[in-house]
Amino acid sequence: MSGPLHHESALAHLRGEARYLDDLHEPTGLLHLAPVCSRLAHGQLHGLDPSAALALPGVVAVLRAADLPGPNRIANMAGDEPILAEGEVCYAGQVLALVAARSHREARAAAACVQVKAHPLPALLALDEAIAAQSWISPPVVLERGAVDEAMRSSPHRLSAERSVGAQEHFYLEGQVAIALPDEQGGWTVHSSTQHPGEVQHWVAHALGTSAHQVRVLCRRMGGGFGGKETQAGQVAVWAAVASQVLQQPVKMRLDRDDDFRITGKRHPFRMRYQVGFDDDGRILALEAELASNCGFSADLSIPVNERALFHVDNAYYLPNLRLRSLRCRTHLQSHTAFRGFGGPQGMYLIESLIGDIARALGRDAFDIRLLNAYGAAPRNTTPYGMTVDDEFIGDLMHDLASSCSYRKRRQAIADAAAADSTAAPRACFRGLALTPVKFGISFNATQFNQAGALVQIFTDATVAIHHGGTEMGQGLHTKVIAIVAQVLGLPPERLRVMPSDTHTIANASATAASAGTDLNGRAAEHAAVALRERLFDFWAAQTGWDRAAMQLIHGHLRSHNRGEPCAVAFAELVHKAYMARVQLWAEGFYATPGIHFDRITRRGKPFYYFAWGAACTEVEIDVLTGEYRVVAVDILHDVGRSVHDAIDRGQVVGGFVQGMGWLTMEELVWDAHGQLLTHAPSTYKIPTAADVPEHFTVRWWPFPNRVDNVGGSKAVGEPPLMLALSVIEALRDAVAQARSSAANPLGSPSSAPNHGVDLDAPATPERVYFAVRH
C-alpha cells in the first residue's frame, strides 16, 4: 500500500487552515474556565474564599465541589478520583475549584485570587515512603516462572544492582482543551482534544447525571497526545461540562502550559532492584527483580501500565527462571498515566541495563551477550507469561543491522583506542557503542478493548466519507485509513475523506492507543469497504452479465470480462446506476482482534496478537571533564511488516526514537521536598530539538510482511520505536565504562570500582554522566 499519498491534512497544515479545538468559532456567550489548584501535596481542605476573585471584571462564578450537579467522582474504573477536591487534598496541583469568566485571561487572573483555607498533612512523595507505609494503588503482583531460587544458587556468577528511570512529560504541542455546548432536549455536544472520545462521553454523562445518548463527543484532530490524552483529557471535558450545566452557557477550558504540567500525570517513574544469575558465557539462568513505580494519588491507568512493564522485562530474551515483583505505589503526586510504550519501556530498561552489567563483569561485548540470550527455536521461544514467540528472526535481524552499520569494526576502533591509552597523552573524550533489540507486544492489555467499528459512505458523485472510531493526533492514522479504503475501492485518495471522530457515529470505540490504531480501525474500515465493493460487484454482474469472478476496482473503474472480452465502467457511472437501482451505498465494518486471551489469576495466556521487532545501534561520545555528550550516529533496522505508508512509518520511527532519547537523557522532572513540581515550563523542562538528532541517522525496514493476518500485512509502529532509544543510554554506559578503565583518563588512574556497576540512572543528564565517570 506504500505510495506517494501525502498526509490527509498536509496542505491544510501548510496553509494554516487545519483547525484545532482552540481555533473553532466561539459561540455567543462562551465562558472560559481556569482552575484553582492546591499548593499542598497533602492537606485538609477547610474552605475557599472566592470574594476577591468574584470582584474582578468579567468573572461570572467560582464553582466548588458543593456546586456540582452530579456525583463528585470521575467515572473511571477505580472510582478513586474526585472531580474537584473536597475535604482532602491529595497533590500539589489538584483542582479545588473552577473560575468562570468572560475571557481566558480574566479567568486565570481570578483563579490566582481565590483564597484557599487548608492545613498540611504528612505527604508520601518518595517510593521508599510509600513502600514503608504499604500505600498501594493495587496490591503487589508477582510474575514467576521456573525454579528461581535453585537456579540462582547454582549460577556460576551473580550480580545485583539498583536502577532508576524518571518520569516524562507528554509535552503535546496542543495542550488540554475542551468545549461544552448545551443542546436541545437535555443534550450536550462536547468538543474534546482526546484520544478516547467514548470515555469522555461516559465520564461527562456520569458527571451530568444523564445518559450516554445525550452526550455527543467530537474530535477532528489533536496537536499531539502520546498517551496524555487517553484518560486525562476526560477531566478537562468534565470540568467544562459541569460548569456549562450549572451556568447554562457554553464553556471552554484550555489549560495554560504551566497548569497543564502541574495538573496532569506523566510517564511512571520506576525504581528497579535485581539479582541475576548467569554462566561463564553470559547466558542468563535466573532473574529476580522488584519493579516499584510511583503511580501518584489515584489509579488512572497505573494497573495496566505496570502489567505491561512486567510483560516486557524479557524484551527479546528468553528467561528460563524468573520472579518479578511489581509494587504500584500510591503517593501524593500527580496521577501518572499512559505514555507511549505504556510501561514497556520501563520493563525493557531493566533487562537491557543488566545485560550491559553482565557483559562488563565478564569482559565481553554486550552485543554477543544479547545474541546469546535472544529468543529462538523451541524450547527457547516462550515468554514468562506463557505466550509462544512464533517469530524466530531477532538474531538474524540483529546480525543484519550489525553488518550494515559496521558494528564490529566500530567496536574494534573503540578497543584499539583503549589499547593505545597506556602510552597516549590524556584525552577528555571517550566513545561508547551499543546495539539493542526491541520486542513489543501489540494489543490492548484488556482484551475487550481490541475491537473497532467503521462506516464507509459512497455519495452519488462517487466521493467517499469514512467514519471510524480512531482519533488523529498527528500520527497519520486518518491518512493510513484513506490509503486502505482507497485501495479496496480503486479510487485516488483525493476522492476520500475521513470525518471527525464522533461518538454518535461510531459508538463504544476504544482509545486510540496501544499502537493499535491502524490495526483496529484500518481493518474495520477495510471490512466496510470490502462489503461495499462486493455489493457493487453483485449488482453489476446481475445487471450486465459480466464475469463476477474477474471483477476489480482499479484506477476509478470497475474492470472485468464480458464473453471473454475486457470491459470497464467508470466508478462514477457504476455508483449512479447503483443508486438509481436503490442499492445501499454505505456499509459498516467491525473488527475484533482474534486469538488473544489472558488469565489474570494464573497470569498466563496470549495477551498480544503479534510482536513488533527492531534493533538500533547508537554511538556516543562523552567529555569526562564536563559530562557533556553527543550522539554521533544512529542506525535502525525495524520491523513494520509491509508498510501501509512508508513516509508516515519512517516519521514514527524517527520521532519515537528521539522522544525515547529525550526520556532517557535530558527530560528531567523535579519535585521539591513539598511535592511542588519545579520543572513546569519549557524554560526548565527540555525536550530534544533537531539539533540533538545526529547527522548520521539511518532507518531500514526488515523486508518481510507480518506473519499473522493483519491489515495489509503491516505491523504497528506507534510505540515500538521509542524503545530503540535504549541503545543511547547503553552506549553512554559503555562510554563511561571505557573512560573509567582508561589510563588516558585525565581524571587520574583507572577506577578500581567493579566495572560492571556503571551507576548511571535515567535521565542520563550531563551531571549524571559527570558523576558516573567519577564513581
Side-chain angles (χ1 to χ4, degrees):
M1 295 184 189
S2 299
L5 170 65
H6 58 70
H7 190 285
E8 54 93 24
S9 296
L11 290 178
H13 284 296
L14 186 65
R15 295 167 178 161
E17 297 169 355
R19 291 191 297 174
Y20 292 86
L21 209 156
D22 203 33
D23 300 318
L24 298 182
H25 173 74
E26 296 185 350
T28 302
L30 179 74
L31 298 177
H32 296 260
L33 279 190
V36 177
C37 297
S38 169
R39 296 190 60 82
L40 295 177
H42 190 208
Q44 186 69 37
L45 179 62
H46 299 295
L48 301 169
D49 181 0
S51 55
L54 290 169
L56 293 176
V59 176
V60 174
V62 176
L63 305 179
R64 290 162 281 189
D67 301 313
L68 295 174
N72 187 18
R73 274 286 174 266
I74 294 290
N76 56 18
M77 293 290 289
D80 62 347
E81 193 168 341
I83 296 172
L84 297 173
E86 186 176 23
E88 184 183 17
V89 174
C90 294
Y91 75 97
Q94 186 171 11
V95 178
L96 312 177
L98 303 166
V99 175
R102 300 296 178 190
S103 72
H104 178 71
R105 187 183 297 273
E106 289 170 332
R108 292 201 70 225
C113 295
V114 175
Q115 298 297 309
V116 178
K117 301 174 183 178
H119 75 264
L121 296 173
L124 301 175
L125 302 175
L127 284 171
D128 283 335
E129 295 169 347
I131 292 169
Q134 296 190 16
S135 177
W136 315 124
I137 288 292
S138 66
V141 167
V142 175
L143 176 63
E144 186 168 0
R145 172 168 74 178
V148 180
D149 296 331
E150 181 181 343
M152 191 72 74
R153 283 194 300 269
S154 62
S155 294
H157 305 275
R158 290 190 293 273
L159 286 176
S160 59
E162 178 177 309
R163 294 279 181 263
S164 293
V165 60
Q168 185 180 22
E169 166 64 32
H170 300 87
F171 217 112
Y172 22 66
L173 292 181
E174 176 202 32
Q176 300 278 5
V177 57
I179 301 175
L181 306 170
D183 208 341
E184 63 175 84
Q185 301 181 66
W188 297 86
T189 298
V190 177
H191 296 271
S192 175
S193 180
T194 176
Q195 295 173 236
H196 198 176
E199 185 166 67
V200 171
Q201 178 190 42
H202 173 58
W203 286 15
V204 168
H206 179 267
L208 298 182
T210 188
S211 52
H213 79 294
Q214 293 280 48
V215 179
R216 182 187 187 192
V217 178
L218 296 162
C219 178
R220 173 61 184 93
R221 60 173 62 84
M222 289 165 275
F226 310 117
K229 296 178 180 178
E230 185 172 346
T231 57
Q232 302 206 355
Q235 299 162 346
V236 179
V238 165
W239 291 327
V242 296
S244 182
Q245 186 179 54
V246 170
L247 302 173
Q248 286 299 296
Q249 288 180 255
V251 170
K252 177 178 181 178
M253 188 171 197
R254 172 172 57 84
L255 293 184
D256 178 82
R257 182 67 67 179
D258 294 87
D259 288 337
D260 203 320
F261 264 80
R262 292 188 179 102
I263 293 170
T264 63
K266 325 298 177 191
R267 185 188 297 279
H268 289 67
F270 270 63
R271 184 193 67 197
M272 299 93 154
R273 291 171 173 164
Y274 78 81
Q275 182 180 27
V276 62
F278 53 98
D279 64 18
D280 294 339
D281 295 323
R283 190 185 299 273
I284 296 173
L285 305 176
L287 171 63
E288 184 164 16
E290 176 188 272
L291 291 80
S293 72
N294 192 325
C295 300
F297 87 101
S298 69
D300 195 85
L301 292 170
S302 292
I303 295 172
V305 165
N306 280 270
E307 290 289 302
R308 188 170 277 262
L310 292 180
F311 290 163
H312 286 80
V313 164
D314 62 327
N315 191 14
Y317 311 110
Y318 176 70
L319 304 174
N321 304 286
L322 89 165
R323 182 184 300 123
L324 306 175
R325 187 165 185 251
S326 171
L327 306 180
R328 297 95 185 265
C329 301
R330 188 188 297 270
T331 61
H332 294 107
L333 294 178
Q334 291 85 349
S335 186
H336 295 313
T337 188
F339 200 129
R340 196 176 194 172
F342 204 79
Q346 294 95 318
M348 293 185 192
Y349 176 87
L350 170 62
I351 192 70
E352 293 302 332
S353 64
L354 74 83
I355 285 181
D357 290 346
I358 290 171
R360 286 183 285 273
L362 294 176
R364 299 276 304 279
D365 186 343
F367 175 66
D368 294 323
I369 305 299
R370 290 185 167 97
L371 284 173
L372 179 68
N373 286 284
Y375 279 110
R380 296 180 57 83
N381 67 339
T382 307
T383 69
Y385 45 89
M387 180 172 169
T388 300
V389 180
D390 295 319
D391 300 317
E392 299 173 4
F393 57 72
I394 187 57
D396 294 336
L397 188 151
M398 293 170 68
H399 276 299
D400 187 318
L401 177 59
S403 175
S404 66
C405 75
S406 303
Y407 176 86
R408 297 292 187 187
K409 181 179 178 180
R410 292 157 70 185
R411 172 58 67 192
Q412 188 59 49
I414 291 173
D416 291 344
D421 281 347
S422 59
T423 58
R427 59 187 174 109
C429 295
F430 292 83
R431 290 201 171 190
L433 186 67
L435 194 159
T436 60
V438 163
K439 172 184 70 66
F440 191 76
I442 304 300
S443 289
F444 283 96
N445 293 23
T447 303
Q448 69 270 20
F449 294 141
N450 294 286
Q451 58 174 300
L455 172 67
V456 177
Q457 303 162 314
I458 303 176
F459 297 105
T460 55
D461 66 352
T463 58
V464 177
I466 305 167
H467 305 260
H468 64 81
T471 54
E472 176 64 48
M473 63 195 90
Q475 84 281 34
L477 172 61
H478 287 353
T479 306
K480 285 188 170 185
V481 172
I482 286 174
I484 292 164
V485 174
Q487 184 178 62
V488 173
L489 298 181
L491 294 174
E494 60 269 18
R495 303 289 289 176
L496 293 81
R497 183 180 180 186
V498 174
M499 308 309 291
S501 305
D502 185 342
T503 56
H504 275 33
T505 304
I506 304 297
N508 310 317
S510 298
T512 304
S515 300
T518 301
D519 287 8
L520 296 174
N521 298 287
R523 179 48 67 90
E526 181 184 52
H527 285 177
V530 167
L532 276 172
R533 182 189 66 190
E534 298 306 303
R535 189 178 301 152
L536 290 172
F537 284 176
D538 290 342
F539 162 71
W540 199 247
Q543 287 286 309
T544 64
W546 290 9
D547 184 352
R548 172 70 170 75
M551 286 185 177
Q552 299 180 73
L553 288 176
I554 186 169
H555 301 314
H557 289 77
L558 185 157
R559 300 186 184 278
S560 185
H561 292 89
N562 187 20
R563 298 185 179 90
E565 295 296 323
C567 49
V569 61
F571 186 76
E573 182 180 350
L574 171 65
V575 168
H576 173 71
K577 291 188 174 180
Y579 170 76
M580 296 302 293
R582 298 185 296 175
V583 174
Q584 180 179 318
L585 292 177
W586 57 268
E588 72 279 359
F590 181 77
Y591 177 69
T593 308
I596 54 175
H597 56 91
F598 185 72
D599 187 323
R600 299 197 177 278
I601 304 300
T602 64
R603 313 201 69 74
R604 295 293 184 271
K606 183 186 177 185
F608 307 120
Y609 188 38
Y610 61 86
F611 295 108
W613 303 81
C617 180
T618 296
E619 185 170 356
V620 301
E621 185 176 69
I622 67 170
D623 184 330
V624 299
L625 298 179
T626 65
E628 293 180 295
Y629 54 82
R630 66 187 181 99
V631 178
V632 176
V634 174
D635 296 277
I636 292 172
L637 179 56
H638 198 67
D639 170 32
V640 297
R642 185 181 293 116
S643 176
V644 172
H645 194 291
D646 184 86
I648 284 175
D649 286 349
R650 287 183 185 277
Q652 287 292 293
V653 169
V654 174
F657 182 94
V658 172
Q659 190 173 52
M661 180 175 72
W663 168 54
L664 293 166
T665 61
M666 67 176 66
E667 297 185 41
E668 186 171 27
L669 286 157
V670 179
W671 286 265
D672 68 14
H674 305 290
Q676 290 277 352
L677 181 63
L678 302 179
T679 49
H680 51 77
S683 58
T684 51
Y685 184 82
K686 302 300 182 182
I687 64 174
T689 68
D692 298 298
V693 180
E695 185 174 341
H696 179 92
F697 198 122
T698 68
V699 177
R700 290 192 300 122
W701 298 147
W702 182 244
F704 299 100
N706 197 335
R707 294 185 181 187
V708 302
D709 179 23
N710 202 46
V711 59
S714 66
K715 284 193 173 184
V717 72
E719 293 170 297
L722 184 136
M723 286 145 279
L724 295 170
L726 289 165
S727 60
V728 178
I729 193 165
E730 286 306 298
L732 286 170
R733 288 191 176 114
D734 182 55
V736 168
Q738 300 292 333
R740 283 171 47 176
S741 62
S742 173
N745 188 330
L747 300 177
S749 57
S751 171
S752 60
N755 203 29
H756 66 81
V758 174
D759 186 16
L760 181 61
D761 286 331
T765 59
E767 292 89 344
R768 287 196 173 97
V769 171
Y770 177 90
F771 288 112
V773 172
R774 287 156 175 76
H775 178 71

